[in-house]
Amino acid sequence: MLPCDVRGVVRIYGPPMSTITTSVGLATGIDSAAIIDALIGAERAPVVRLENRKTTLEQRQAGLQSLSAFVSTIQTTLDTLSDSSVYEDVSVSIPPDSGIVAAATSQPQAGSYSFTPVRTTSTHSSLSRGFADSDTQLVGTGTLVLRKGGGVADEVTLSELNGGQGVRAGTVRITDRSGATADVDLSAAHTVEDVLEVINAANVGVTASLGSNGFVLTDTSGGSGTLSVGDLAGGNAAADLGLTTTASGGTLTGSAVYALGSTTTLAQLNDGNAIRVVGGDDITITARDATAIGVDLSSATTLGEVVDAINNDADNGGKVTASIGDGRLILTDTTGGSGTLSVADVGDAAVTTELGLNAAAAGDTLTGERILADLGSVLLRNVNGGGGIGTPGSVSITDRSGASATVDLSAAESLSDVIDAINAAGLGVTAAVDESGLGLTLTDTTGSTASNLIVADVASGTSAADLGLVADVAATTVEGGPLDLRTVNAGTSLSAYAADGSAVSSGQFQITAADGATATITVGAGISTVGDVIDQINSASIGVTAALNATGDGFTLTDTTGGSGELSVNELNGGDTAADLGLRGTVDTSGTNPVLDARRAVVVEIDADDTLDEVVTKLNTAGAGVINASVLDDGSAFTPKRLSITAAASGAIGRFFVDDGAGLGLRTTTEGEDALLRVGGSGGPLVPDSDGTFTGLVGGLDIDVTAATGQQTTVTVTSDTGRIKSGIETVVSTYNAFVSAVSDLTRFDSETNQRGILNGDPTTLRVKSRLDDLFLKTFGTSNSTIRTLAEIGITTGQDGNLAFDSARFDTAYQADPDGVEALFTEATTGFGAVAESTLDAIVDPFDGLFKIEDDALSQTVSDLEERITDLDALLEVRRIRLVNEFAALETIVSSLQSQQTALDSLAPLAAPTSSS
């Protein structure tokens, strides 16, 4: 017999890797599998009904979920329309080739704004003399210093003139003594130097220069008429510049436009060296009757407020009167006492010197030192790092023709006083600020070589020596060298002290003295000035003393421990605080009292074996983030390689002054200048910006100056309803898609008796009804100007779909933008608030209508799946029983067949036999 399994399946073995199976019993010939499947299939009818029910429920669930998605989209879009910021959107239009690019950044008000791009920004750069190559030729030795400040020709903006009232833009007509005229447009002038340049470039015989407190015009035409200046077209520029005065012969000396007054800010005083206040009383004035008057100057920002603080102090009572006169503060004692009127700083405050009140009183009057220099100049008290002129006196000058003169500089207070006195001496020698802008130069104009050019102090005076002018040379020029104008003092703020013009980072650094002692210095809250840092270092008491430096551009650390180690400053916690202060580094202690000089300058020592490439490397290391150095090849035949130094920052903030102690022949090729933009009409202010991007000027606009057209252009800002209309269109299209989906899912075809999966579904009908009502409601309050969606173009058609009339919306918005906004955003009663409440009840993820129905359907589907699983398990048991029964049948039949075969084989043996 062939082998078979219990189900009567016979396997007939053929060639390898193949089998033949059959469900027909070999003994009975019955297809048991078909019979079993038929029996189970008949008994499974209830399960099939349950599965069909489950499928129907899942289809309903999917249908409701699709409708929920439509409603959720409507809700999300209405949330956007309910946000007031969407109604602040604007569009900005600007004429082509206007020289500016405008962008709205902070919801500007709609309107038209006028701008005139006057100047683009430029980046400061210098170029050296030529060298044969950059990698072998040695460049010399010396110290190269690039200073962030210290120029002795002070740049005064026109906004500082006339007590801070500035100068109105306009065109002036200059008529020289020959009768020639020139119309000079001063609308692009930002500084007093700009005014001089424009006038001196005009085609008229007049030279402009600066006087002590105004402008001076000198006629060079040789005519005998009247030198005059007048405003054109009703302008005021000439009057504001003080140039409408009457000329005296060939000179027109303008009226004073730059003088110390009550509106002069403290930042303008003392060449920009700030006062340092400490909270509470900052100075003590001791009257002649010994009354001590403590004055708090912490809230003063102008000189007038300083005067008021002194005069109105509760301790004063009229005993000492402060006033302003002749470029200085004056204190007058009225007590009648016999003591000495004096002023002293309180605690760590640094006020008296900066306000010039450290002068000695004469009887009842203390006349302070001058605290505002002449126009375009600086105070002598601030040269030599703030040491000034040691002993002011007379200077003897001999020009190269042999002519001599003694120039009295004992009363000079401003560098311009020195220049004017030398130039008025009647010699063939002229004084001027040198090309570097850091000091003075004397030039012999005689053309003679009979004598050396000689400059010497007279008697005990030190004016010539302190100005660097002492000389006895067979040359036509004497270069005084850098005067080291003080630009950093105890009151200098840390807010823009870092080398790149940013604030000093908060953090900690460690000072290690030569004997190994250490101190941790923290710069953070309460540390706001250079003086604060100096005081904190000195209070550490580790034998390292901090003080303002001798070059006036920072401070020093001096090690007095006598240790054999190194004086070093290192950052803590990965910060940049010490670097921002210019302090990070190490100093050899081989000398006595080693000093670490924290200058606001890039200082490079050029050694005898340095090439141009090596100088570039040193500059880029020392000036990282401040300057960029490179080698420029100018293409010349013999000395094409030049050192190029460019500021890292554009505009005036990146400007640097070169002290070329190595003789590299560095000259300024481009002066760093801020971009200039006139805001408003021709009389509007001229605003500077270092990178040419003007932020938040008017109406929330940002303006980039791309070209200095000098032409007024109008930027138009209009309301941009794009996002509003797009949101409305999304609501309309999504709602209509919802309506279409509802129609399809709830359909009934009477001819075919076919029903949509949600036909008669109560949740669907309830949601549809609520949304229909929502779009037809009246919103707002009785005070609302727009109360229905139809008023802004949203209407409901006969088919239940929404329609949006864009033109009608535009009309409504133009007529009443606030009303449209209120319709969507008004709290509680606005469309947005009502819709939020309605839609939230429908699609809330926890208890919305769709969620409740979805949970119920999910539970029912789960119950059906459980019942189906149970019934299928019972049917499987039934199947196994049937399989076993058929297998038993096959076994019985097979056994009977075997017996029958055996009996058949015995039949011949039972037949009768015969005998012979």
Side-chain angles (χ1 to χ4, degrees):
M1 292 183 62
L2 296 173
C4 67
D5 64 14
V6 294
R7 294 191 183 190
V9 176
V10 178
R11 289 178 174 84
I12 302 175
Y13 297 98
M17 302 301 292
S18 67
T19 59
I20 300 175
T21 63
T22 177
S23 63
V24 177
L26 294 178
T28 63
I30 298 173
D31 188 349
S32 60
I35 294 172
I36 292 171
D37 286 343
L39 290 172
I40 295 298
E43 293 180 16
R44 201 175 185 280
V47 177
V48 172
R49 288 194 294 273
L50 291 177
E51 288 177 336
N52 291 337
R53 173 62 176 160
K54 172 176 170 289
T55 300
T56 299
L57 292 176
E58 288 174 336
Q59 290 174 341
R60 285 186 60 200
Q61 195 172 23
L64 289 171
Q65 288 172 350
S66 68
L67 295 180
S68 178
F70 286 125
V71 178
S72 294
T73 299
I74 294 172
Q75 183 184 45
T76 300
T77 306
L78 288 178
D79 284 344
T80 300
L81 290 173
S82 299
D83 185 350
S84 60
S85 67
V86 76
Y87 301 91
E88 297 171 347
D89 287 356
V90 296
S91 61
V92 179
S93 62
I94 185 170
D97 302 321
S98 61
I100 64 173
V101 175
T105 57
S106 56
Q107 294 82 43
Q109 295 295 316
S112 295
Y113 303 92
S114 296
F115 301 99
T116 304
V118 173
R119 187 172 71 198
T120 57
T121 187
S122 61
T123 302
H124 198 89
S125 60
S126 292
L127 205 61
S128 76
R129 60 183 171 87
F131 295 86
D133 57 61
S134 63
D135 56 356
T136 61
Q137 183 180 0
L138 304 182
V139 298
T141 60
T143 303
L144 177 61
V145 181
L146 308 180
R147 293 185 58 145
K148 292 289 289 183
V152 294
D154 187 37
E155 183 176 74
V156 178
T157 64
L158 297 185
S159 62
E160 298 176 63
L161 304 185
N162 298 309
Q165 295 298 311
V167 175
R168 287 167 284 187
T171 300
V172 302
R173 175 166 291 170
I174 300 176
T175 304
D176 65 23
R177 299 191 73 189
S178 72
T181 63
D183 293 340
V184 180
D185 183 3
L186 297 173
S187 61
H190 178 56
T191 66
V192 295
E193 278 296 326
D194 293 338
V195 174
L196 298 183
E197 289 178 9
V198 175
I199 293 176
N200 290 334
N203 188 24
V204 66
V206 172
T207 300
S209 60
L210 295 177
S212 61
N213 53 18
F215 295 89
V216 177
L217 301 186
T218 304
D219 190 286
T220 59
S221 69
S224 58
T226 301
L227 170 62
S228 64
V229 182
D231 284 302
L232 292 182
N236 299 279
D240 291 345
L241 290 171
L243 293 176
T244 55
T245 58
T246 302
S248 176
T251 302
L252 190 156
T253 301
S255 58
V257 292
Y258 185 69
L260 197 68
S262 61
T263 59
T264 304
T265 66
L266 299 186
Q268 292 175 270
L269 302 180
N270 199 31
D271 298 329
N273 288 290
I275 69 171
R276 181 191 180 199
V277 295
V278 293
D281 290 343
D282 298 297
I283 58 173
T284 297
I285 302 174
T286 303
R288 298 194 71 187
D289 68 350
T291 300
I293 304 168
V295 182
D296 181 356
L297 298 176
S298 59
S299 62
T301 59
T302 67
L303 195 60
E305 290 169 348
V306 170
V307 169
D308 291 342
I310 294 172
N311 292 337
N312 299 329
D313 189 87
D315 295 333
N316 191 343
K319 292 184 176 183
V320 176
T321 301
S323 59
I324 302 169
D326 191 26
R328 63 198 80 223
L329 279 173
I330 300 170
L331 300 183
T332 303
D333 188 297
T334 62
T335 64
S338 58
T340 301
L341 174 63
S342 63
V343 183
D345 289 319
V346 176
D348 293 329
V351 175
T352 56
T353 298
E354 282 69 20
L355 292 181
L357 294 176
N358 56 330
D364 294 335
T365 304
L366 190 157
T367 302
E369 294 184 2
R370 192 168 177 184
I371 53 178
L372 186 70
D374 291 336
L375 186 58
S377 187
V378 296
L379 295 169
L380 290 181
R381 64 200 295 250
N382 287 320
V383 302
N384 295 315
I389 305 299
T391 305
S394 295
V395 174
S396 171
I397 301 176
T398 302
D399 65 26
R400 298 210 65 189
S401 72
S404 297
T406 298
V407 181
D408 185 3
L409 299 179
S410 59
E413 294 180 288
S414 183
L415 195 61
S416 59
D417 292 340
V418 174
I419 294 173
D420 292 343
I422 293 174
N423 291 339
L427 296 173
V429 175
T430 59
V433 173
D434 65 21
E435 187 174 355
S436 73
L438 296 172
L440 291 179
T441 183
L442 301 184
T443 304
D444 186 284
T445 60
T446 64
S448 174
T449 58
S451 170
N452 281 352
L453 178 57
I454 304 170
V455 183
D457 281 306
V458 175
S460 61
T462 62
S463 294
D466 291 339
L467 293 171
L469 298 176
V470 173
D472 187 347
V473 295
T476 58
T477 60
V478 172
E479 297 288 348
L483 285 173
D484 292 332
L485 182 74
R486 176 159 296 287
T487 57
V488 173
N489 71 343
T492 300
S493 173
L494 300 182
S495 62
Y497 190 81
D500 61 358
S502 62
V504 172
S505 305
S506 296
Q508 293 181 317
F509 59 89
Q510 184 180 72
I511 301 174
T512 302
D515 65 353
T518 63
T520 297
I521 307 301
T522 301
V523 175
I527 306 298
S528 60
T529 66
V530 169
D532 294 337
V533 175
I534 290 174
D535 290 345
Q536 194 176 22
I537 293 172
N538 290 336
S539 66
S541 301
I542 61 168
V544 176
T545 303
L548 295 173
N549 64 10
T551 50
D553 56 359
F555 57 103
T556 60
L557 301 187
T558 303
D559 190 308
T560 62
T561 64
S564 59
E566 294 177 327
L567 168 62
S568 65
V569 178
N570 299 294
E571 306 283 5
L572 293 178
N573 306 315
D576 292 306
T577 308
D580 290 344
L581 290 168
L583 275 177
R584 188 163 62 192
T586 300
V587 179
D588 192 327
T589 58
S590 57
T592 303
N593 295 340
V595 176
L596 194 159
D597 198 351
R599 301 183 65 180
R600 291 190 74 200
V602 177
V603 182
V604 171
E605 294 294 337
I606 300 178
D607 301 323
D609 57 352
D610 280 343
T611 65
L612 207 56
D613 286 341
E614 289 165 335
V615 172
V616 166
T617 300
K618 287 184 175 182
L619 281 168
N620 286 331
T621 300
V626 180
I627 55 99
N628 298 305
S630 61
V631 174
L632 173 72
D633 191 325
D634 64 10
S636 61
F638 302 107
T639 55
K641 303 297 184 179
R642 296 173 181 265
L643 173 62
S644 173
I645 306 176
T646 304
S650 61
I653 194 173
R655 193 179 299 167
F656 55 83
F657 295 90
V658 179
D659 177 6
D660 188 4
L664 299 177
L666 282 161
R667 297 289 184 269
T668 298
T669 54
T670 302
E671 186 171 0
E673 292 187 320
D674 292 341
L676 295 176
L677 180 70
R678 190 171 298 284
V679 180
S682 59
L686 198 58
V687 181
D689 187 88
S690 62
D691 62 5
T693 298
F694 298 79
T695 58
L697 286 178
V698 290
L701 288 175
D702 282 0
I703 304 294
D704 285 326
V705 174
T706 58
T709 66
Q711 301 298 314
Q712 182 174 316
T713 190
T714 299
V715 176
T716 303
V717 179
T718 56
S719 296
D720 186 350
T721 59
R723 278 207 296 165
I724 305 172
K725 293 169 72 173
S726 176
I728 292 174
E729 288 166 353
T730 298
V731 169
V732 169
S733 62
T734 305
Y735 180 75
N736 290 343
F738 168 81
V739 170
S740 176
V742 169
S743 177
D744 180 63
L745 293 170
T746 61
R747 72 188 183 282
F748 174 71
D749 189 334
S750 58
E751 294 182 359
T752 62
N753 205 34
Q754 295 293 314
R755 298 173 182 270
I757 194 65
L758 294 179
N759 181 261
D761 178 71
T763 298
T764 302
L765 296 176
R766 190 178 304 120
V767 169
K768 176 68 165 56
S769 175
R770 290 187 182 183
L771 292 183
D772 288 343
D773 289 344
L774 173 65
F775 288 100
L776 294 174
K777 284 181 178 291
T778 298
F779 303 96
T781 64
S782 58
N783 295 326
S784 301
T785 57
I786 297 178
R787 304 192 63 193
T788 66
L789 297 178
E791 293 177 76
I792 62 169
I794 304 175
T795 56
T796 302
Q798 293 294 326
D799 57 359
N801 283 334
L802 294 178
F804 177 52
D805 187 336
S806 179
R808 186 173 181 182
F809 173 86
D810 289 339
T811 300
Y813 195 83
Q814 291 172 6
D816 188 6
D818 292 338
V820 174
E821 179 180 351
L823 174 66
F824 286 96
T825 63
E826 192 171 50
T828 307
T829 58
F831 174 55
V834 174
E836 175 67 21
S837 175
T838 300
L839 299 180
D840 198 49
I842 295 172
V843 294
D844 185 273
F846 298 104
D847 57 6
L849 287 177
F850 280 128
K851 176 61 176 174
I852 293 171
E853 184 64 15
D854 185 76
D855 288 347
L857 290 173
S858 293
Q859 184 60 52
T860 303
V861 167
S862 178
D863 293 343
L864 289 175
E865 288 175 340
E866 185 177 346
R867 179 60 178 155
I868 289 169
T869 299
D870 292 343
L871 291 176
D872 277 340
L874 292 174
L875 289 174
E876 184 61 24
V877 172
R878 171 67 171 152
R879 178 186 292 278
I880 293 172
R881 186 168 65 250
L882 288 173
V883 168
N884 290 335
E885 290 174 351
F886 273 101
L889 176 62
E890 285 293 327
T891 301
I892 294 171
V893 171
S894 177
S895 177
L896 291 174
Q897 288 176 340
S898 295
Q899 293 175 11
Q900 181 62 48
T901 300
L903 291 173
D904 288 344
S905 66
L906 294 175
L909 298 177
T913 60
S914 61
S915 61
S916 58

